[in-house]
Structure formats: C-alpha cells, structure tokens
Amino acid sequence: MDITMPNFNVLWLQSGGCGGCSMSLLCADTADFHGQLRDAGINLLWHPSLSLESGSELIDLLERAADGRLRVDALCIEGSLLRGPNNTGRFHVLAGTGIPMIDWVRRLAATARQVVAIGSCAAWGGITAGGSNPTDACGLQYDDDRPGGLLGASFRSGSGLPVINVAGCPTHPGWVIDSLMALAAGQFSAADLDPLNRPRFYADQLVHHGCTRNEYYEFKASAEKPSDLGCMMEHMGCKGTQVHADCNTRLWNGEGSCTRGGYACIACTEPGFQEPGHPFHETPKIAGIPIGLPTDMPKAWFVALASLSKSATPKRVKANATADHLQVAPAVRKTRLR
Ligand code: SF4
Ligand code: SF4
C-alpha cells in the first residue's frame, strides 16, 4: 500500500445519539489524529465534527456515495436509528435533504464495503432506545440482543461481513481506530468477531481483567459507598466480571477507567445495558447473593469461594476496603524474597 495516498474511504454519520462517541474519538491516544489515520491508509471522507463540507457539498458527497460513484470502504454510523413515527423515520430527517436518516443509512449500507456501528446506540439501540422508546430507536443490526435492527439479521456488507459492532457507551477511541486500521490493512475477517459481532481484540476480555480492585475481589472485601477502595461487585452494582471489554488493560486517556474512578462497571458494551432493572449503582441480590455472578463460574462455586474468602480476609484488606485512602499498608516482614 502507498501510505502517502490514503485510499480506505471512511464515511461517518451521526444518527440518534449524544455525540459522545465522537467526543471519545477525539481523545484517541495520538498527538496527530489525522496523521495516524493517513499513515494507516485511511481517508476520512466526511465526519460531522471533523470535516469542513456542509450543505450542498455534503449532500452531493452523500449522493455520490449512495449511487456508487464514490467508493465507501467503511460506513461508520454513530447513534441509534430512529424508525418512528410508524416506521417512517421522520423523527430524524437529514437536514437539507427531506429524506429520513434511516433511508440514507439503508442506501449507503447497500453500497459500502464494510458497515461499522460506532457505540452501543448504533450497535443495539442503547440509551436512545431506553424507557418507552418513543422514537422506536434500534441498532443497525440488533434490537438490544435480538438480531434485526434497521438492516435486518441477514444483512451483509459488500465484504460479506455483518455490521461490525464497536459497542460501548461511549466506545473507546482505541477500539474504533484499531478496527478501522485492521479493516484498511485487509486484516479483519469473520473470525475476528465475537458472537455479538464485536471485534474480538477487545470483546474477548473482561473489564475485571486488570482492575486495581482485584485483591479486594479475591477476599470479597467490598466497598459500601462510592469513595471506598474495595470491590464494587457485592454492593455497588459492578458487572465487570461479566462484561466484555478491555477497559482496565487498555486504559482511557492513557490512565483511567470507570472502576479506577470509583464508578462501577455498568456493562455499557453489552446489549440492553440501559435497562438493568435496578439502580445502576446497586447490586441486585437474592438471599444476599448477587444475581449477576462472574462469567464462567457456577453459582455453588461462587458461594463456597465467597464465604471461604470472607473468612480469610486479611485485616489490611478489610480495613482499606471501606476507606477512601490506604489505612493499613502491606506489612514488611521478609527481605531477600525467594
Ligand atoms: S453510545 Fe453512548 S456515547 Fe455513543 S452516541 Fe450513544 S449515548 Fe452517546
Ligand atoms: S470492582 Fe468490578 S471489575 Fe473491579 S475487581 Fe470488583 S468486580 Fe472486578
């Protein structure tokens, strides 16, 4: 590939979302965002916040893309698709065209080589589809965890792949950039997608991996209020042991994550996270046992392990778990460790 001539054309449109995924993208870990894309051979045809074209220039670009005169290698859609009222899509008409956004997306998806859902709104419906969902919002190829969405379960883009769900609310800039770079390099196939069509490079991880509270989790030494250092699974609603994402090994802005900021993982990469059926920061329990047990762990094991761990919790871990800063430092008992 001639890297001086970016030729992987990316078109980014915003639909029914908050724009937070674009805000997140702008925090990509690079001093030269456009340079990074250019070096990967990516040509950003248009993005609502990063491009100068507007009005008739944009409409002309979209027309050329929709009828195949302008090649679109990756159509990135941010935000959910608003089908209301009554499946007309007229709650969201693309300004200056008189045409509902969902019709633009259908036309463009039919010619694009790849279709990429940017964020959980575009993947599953997300926050916009919450509550009574008055706009009849959905994802590109899912309604929460039900295949379908705007394009239908059988949709395949020009490459033969389904919609690539770069889910997250917002999605991590690294997930977007790495996905686009792999696509541009021709190194992304169906085998790189998990069962919900998320890129495996981040979805084969759990938020729990690399969490700084792992020692508290091991001993079931739990936080009781937001500022506490302990594990947030037992009382504070943390779902990190079940949630697919690498937030604690690929940090945000180079240093943070929800759990590092004292905020429970609310499962924002998972379908239906917006309707957990309980307050986000409370752990639902039956007979004192959290309902959402760790992935891959039978309930009986968890209960046995939890009671054993609790009975063996070191004083240091127990004291620190319910404090907002270290109360007891690790003891220094041995030197010349072997
Ligand atoms: S996924 Fe979240 S951050 Fe992204 S557009 Fe939707 S609501 Fe905003
Ligand atoms: S706070 Fe959440 S992610 Fe961190 S150790 Fe506890 S359960 Fe795991």
Side-chain angles (χ1 to χ4, degrees):
M1 182 192 303
D2 178 358
I3 60 168
T4 61
M5 290 286 290
N7 60 4
F8 185 84
N9 287 339
V10 173
L11 174 60
W12 185 300
L13 296 179
Q14 276 175 336
S15 189
C18 72
C21 287
S22 278
M23 294 295 288
S24 176
L25 182 73
L26 297 178
C27 294
D29 197 8
T30 168
D32 180 4
F33 178 71
H34 287 285
Q36 187 184 30
L37 294 184
R38 198 172 51 242
D39 289 351
I42 295 168
N43 174 37
L44 198 52
L45 286 175
W46 193 79
H47 180 288
S49 310
L50 299 170
S51 300
L52 292 175
E53 296 88 348
S54 63
S56 57
E57 293 165 306
L58 171 62
I59 295 169
D60 176 60
L61 184 149
L62 294 179
E63 286 290 359
R64 284 186 291 129
D67 65 22
R69 282 176 291 145
L70 177 62
R71 197 186 74 249
V72 175
D73 294 300
L75 173 67
C76 293
I77 302 295
E78 172 186 358
S80 57
L81 294 310
L82 310 186
R83 293 170 296 190
N86 303 320
N87 264 326
T88 63
R90 298 201 71 79
F91 278 144
H92 184 195
V93 171
L94 186 65
T97 70
I99 297 172
M101 180 59 106
I102 57 170
D103 291 340
W104 277 109
V105 171
R106 285 189 183 113
R107 279 181 72 193
L108 291 162
T111 60
R113 183 136 185 84
Q114 312 281 357
V115 179
V116 184
I118 302 290
S120 289
C121 288
W124 331 117
I127 290 284
T128 321
S132 61
N133 194 5
T135 58
D136 197 13
C138 66
L140 282 166
Q141 210 170 5
Y142 277 87
D143 261 296
D144 283 339
D145 56 359
R146 298 179 301 281
L150 181 75
L151 299 176
S154 60
F155 171 82
R156 294 295 178 270
S157 64
S159 69
L161 290 181
V163 173
I164 298 168
N165 290 323
V166 189
C169 184
T171 191
H172 192 297
W175 304 340
V176 174
I177 299 282
D178 285 9
S179 297
L180 292 178
M181 287 172 88
L183 289 169
Q187 292 179 355
F188 198 103
S189 69
D192 296 310
L193 293 172
D194 86 340
L196 290 167
N197 297 335
R198 296 172 294 200
R200 301 198 91 106
F201 67 80
Y202 84 89
D204 276 358
Q205 324 288 322
L206 294 173
V207 170
H208 183 64
H209 299 159
C211 179
T212 50
R213 299 168 191 252
N214 276 352
E215 190 185 30
Y216 297 101
Y217 173 84
E218 284 163 24
F219 289 108
K220 299 292 164 285
S222 300
E224 291 173 359
K225 55 187 183 305
S227 55
D228 289 348
L229 297 177
C231 173
M232 295 181 282
M233 178 191 173
E234 190 178 4
H235 306 306
M236 308 289 299
C238 187
K239 296 181 173 154
T241 55
Q242 307 162 71
V243 176
H244 297 80
D246 58 4
C247 298
N248 272 312
T249 49
R250 178 201 298 260
L251 298 176
W252 292 68
N253 294 317
E255 59 179 340
S257 70
C258 292
T259 58
R260 285 170 199 230
Y263 200 89
C265 171
I266 61 168
C268 78
T269 57
E270 307 292 338
F273 84 97
Q274 73 278 3
E275 299 278 3
H278 60 84
F280 279 117
H281 292 101
E282 283 175 21
T283 303
K285 299 173 194 170
I286 294 178
I289 301 168
I291 292 171
L293 295 179
T295 296
D296 311 322
M297 182 179 264
K299 190 173 180 175
W301 291 13
F302 179 82
V303 174
L305 202 66
S307 59
L308 195 65
S309 308
K310 279 202 182 214
S311 65
T313 307
K315 254 180 161 171
R316 168 180 61 83
V317 177
K318 195 170 184 173
N320 292 338
T322 51
D324 62 6
H325 61 280
L326 214 61
Q327 300 292 308
V328 184
V332 179
R333 289 214 187 97
K334 295 182 186 171
T335 57
R336 302 191 185 212
L337 300 175
R338 295 198 178 91

